[in-house]
Amino acid sequence: MSSLWPQIEPLLPRVQKPARYIGCEDGMVWPEHGGGKVAWLLAYPDTYEVGLPNQGLQILYEILNERSDAVAERTYAPWPDLESELRRTGLPLFSVDTHRSAADFDILAFNLSAELVYTNVLNMIDLAGAPVRSCDRDDNDPFVIMGGHAAFNPEPLADFIDVAVLGEGEEVVGEITEIVHAWITKGRSDRRALLRRLARVPGVYVPSMYEVTYADRADGGQLLAVKPLHSDIPSTVDKRTVADLGDWPYPKSPLAPLTEVVHDRLSVEVFRGCTRGCRFCQAGMITRPVRERPAEQVRTMVAEGLRQTGYGEVSLTSLSTADFSEIEPVVRGVLADQEAAAPRGPDGAAIGCGTTINLPSLRVDAFTVGLAGEVNSGRRSGLTFAPEAGTWRLRTVINKLIVEEDLYGAVESAFEQGWTRMKLYFLIGLPTETDADTLAIAELAKNCVRIGKKYTSRASVTISIGGFVPKAHTPFQWFGQNTEAEFRRKIELLRDATRRAHGVNLKWHDAAASTAEGIASRGDRRVGRVIERVWHAGGTFQEWGEHFDLRLWTDAFAAEGLSLEWYAHRHRDSNEVLPWAHLTAGLHSDFLWDDWQAALAESGVEDCRWTPCYDCGVCTGYGIEHVVASPVAPAGGSQGTGQDLARGSEVPVHLTVKALDGAVPLAGSAGGFS
Amino acid sequence: MKLRLRYSKLGKVRFVSHRDGARLWERALRRVSFPVAYTEGFTPRPKLSFGMALPTGAESVAEYIDIDLVVGVSIDLDDPTVIDGISDALPVGMDVQVIAERDPSRGSLQTEVTSTTWELAGPGIEPELLEPAAKQILAADELLVERERKGQRRIDDVRPLIRNLGPDSSGTRFVAELNTVGRALRPSELALAAFPGIDPVDVRVLRTHQWTDHDGERREVLSLPGVVTAPDESLSA
């Protein structure tokens, strides 16, 4: 099929930021379609600026285009101005690479890292010209696949997707390609048979091959079971994990966009997985075990990537980059490589402004700050730390084992080295949180400013507050999320506590959006109808503050006769069948439950990279070991070895599961949850 | 060594903004390890300067960039691989056409360029209307257009900004030479004034020349090799 560019081009002068839609990036592939190749349209359901830097999408884009039996192009959510132009002119969703219609692709594959974009997924399927519900699609419609972290509870999207892929995509996209290729070659008939075949691929979950049963409304309407319809369909779907990151040095040709995007720099992933064991963190739980990229490969990928893109900045990404065994030699090596590669002036000195190394997700300790100082010779404007909770007690609950001395040491070191602004991330609404925990956030920030004032009168600390949303496959998956009112009350507490604190700024995320995120993150299939209603009511781009509208969600809940309270704010018990119980990230459910109980008992666990195994189930289950270059913990801070878990214990707070009035999934029905 | 380059911006890249274009240049020059000088100070910036901003969506065969090289470094401007290397590092549609050493006694692009020539085409800009529209505006003492800037609506006389108007040699496009002094007249604003009733969003715009004025002599900033640029060559008026 041909390019739609001649029809799209006249629309672009009518929309904001038209460079979002032109493609032409450095690193872009000019794919050749046809010849029975399986055509993948890799979709990111948010704006180009947010989606382009996504590494998962870039990796699969390259791996698929290297195959002889596949082509891959990309698409991002059109902003409402372009969407209305497309609908006005009858044009479909299109790829940004060669501006082909989405209808020309066999697979529409969404990368989903968060839940608020779900309505955009429906909108993009609709713009692609396919029926939004998977049961209405026929042999000529694309297969809709979802992957990414949100795929670990795909149930709210079960009615709209054909396939969810759990875990890492590098290998499984090839297996899917081969099966779809054979289906195309045989004449594209019997879509259901193909789905049944795909459902047997490890890591692939086909919702339509499973039957869901619920209790009667009178009995509370809980989920009873999710069971396969056929004997050849697995009763539990396990995630995919690549054993050795060194085998996958992607992206080899990183995409450098023509317009500014959110992470406008090169990214090189240094390891996957994290065993810090922060109990609120879904990413840390579902990406185990730890697999480090060989240090030499990191250096090569950085050098090659910078040369190809012309970027002057690189991010070494992971869930906790200071934990990379060879972080110091890699950082020094990268700086030396760039110094050697720079053009020379007549005096033989390197020309240019050097290379900035960005270390996101830093630990909170002085070692880390030293590292940050080493890589950041120029600007020292701001540095970010994430203590997550205000008191040591609450940090043992969430297993973010930072003692106050670590934080103050890090902050002192940062101000000493010339930084003037700190940003501290905290969550509110964590399990067992009391007002004393919340208010301690303000005290921590004030103490940090006091430290900073010794070094600069400009010292300031910004507290950034997020409302905690429990996620599937974490020890906190049983916890009832705080209500919007409770979030707001806690924010008000902090506003009062910081109002007169000079140098302390407070920022917070919209509490209402957290409620919607909570519904979608732990919802079952019945929530799909809610998402569909929100989309029908025009609720796209819900992750964008100016577009978010909680009333759309509460109205949809009411219309479906469902209880928001039951889905978002209710504590779950150990015997409840969770909507994702038939899906696994390799973590034993009793490990998660025991860790939840340990949390309530304020008992922390150390990082299993350097201490004995807790048998979470991942390494043993997959026969994959942690791949770390060093058998000893990295330097610095009590988060490494030497933490003293006995410190600071206060009166324990117990969390009990209580019956909530009328808190049943189906609002208005009789009976209660006990 | 101080350089001035002329380049084109055609096709899909016309939707890249002036600001994003500057970022593209920085990356492209780093990709080819071009020995660009950097500013001193806490946040060193490459010493690049651009001329008159091209509106997002407009194409051009006459864009300019000034590049300062590190003191003491010179490059061979006759080496064709220099131009090709930079063009390859730029996106499709952006190509370097001329590279020349810059006379340090001359001013910046912003101060040197006194007028620019544009070709306009699109629905409502019909061949039979070109000549009459040009004649009417050129004969008038004033041309009042209502413009909005910084939230303020005001009526401006833009006639002094118009140097020349007329059809191109093929008779299908409207050619306008506009002064760049003072508050510039946008090509789309001119199109609406000349062809009332059109939707200026539909107008395709191509910048073909940027002119300098020295001792009464008007010249293209850098003319294309093998092309003799005579001012007004395509204008019938």
Side-chain angles (χ1 to χ4, degrees), chain A residues 5 8-9 12 17-25 28 30 48 74 76 82 94-99 257-259, chain B residues 9 11-17 24 91-92:
Chain A
W5 177 252
I8 293 162
E9 187 175 21
L12 296 188
K17 301 185 183 174
R20 290 164 166 175
Y21 309 110
I22 64 173
C24 300
E25 301 90 347
M28 193 191 109
W30 297 90
Y48 179 83
R74 298 162 294 129
Y76 306 88
L82 181 64
F94 56 86
S95 68
V96 298
D97 303 77
T98 65
H99 296 93
L258 307 195
T259 183
Chain B
K9 188 178 176 189
K12 290 178 180 175
V13 286
R14 71 186 173 99
F15 293 111
V16 173
S17 69
L24 278 183
V92 173

Side-chain angles (χ1 to χ4, degrees), chain A residues 14-17 20-21 78-86:
Chain A
R14 300 173 178 275
V15 303
Q16 293 172 41
K17 301 185 183 174
R20 290 164 166 175
Y21 309 110
W79 194 248
D81 57 359
L82 181 64
E83 182 197 338
S84 74
E85 290 292 329
L86 291 175

Side-chain angles (χ1 to χ4, degrees), chain A residues 14 26 259-260 264 310, chain B residues 19-20 23 27 30-31 202:
Chain A
R14 300 173 178 275
D26 292 323
T259 183
E260 196 165 2
D264 209 10
Chain B
R19 192 174 153 272
D20 283 335
R23 293 171 49 264
R27 278 202 298 108
R30 265 200 305 263
R31 282 178 67 181
D202 290 331

Side-chain angles (χ1 to χ4, degrees), chain A residues 369-391:
Chain A
V369 174
L371 195 63
E374 230 175 283
V375 302
N376 204 328
S377 48
R379 249 171 322 184
R380 289 196 177 168
S381 46
L383 206 55
T384 302
F385 299 111
E388 307 289 4
T391 58

Side-chain angles (χ1 to χ4, degrees), chain A residues 109-141:
Chain A
F110 287 95
N111 179 314
L112 295 174
S113 37
E115 296 83 3
L116 282 175
V117 298
Y118 285 175
T119 53
N120 281 11
V121 172
L122 271 59
N123 202 39
M124 289 173 78
I125 297 172
D126 184 57
L127 278 170
V132 165
R133 292 189 190 173
S134 53
C135 59
D136 298 331
R137 289 183 207 129
D138 64 27
D139 293 341
N140 297 314
D141 290 313

Side-chain angles (χ1 to χ4, degrees), chain B residues 118-120 125 130 133-134 165-168 172-176 190 194-195:
Chain B
W118 306 82
E119 289 185 5
L120 311 176
I125 306 182
L130 304 181
L165 299 174
D168 73 343
T172 57
R173 299 181 192 208
F174 196 61
V175 180
L190 171 73
F195 306 96

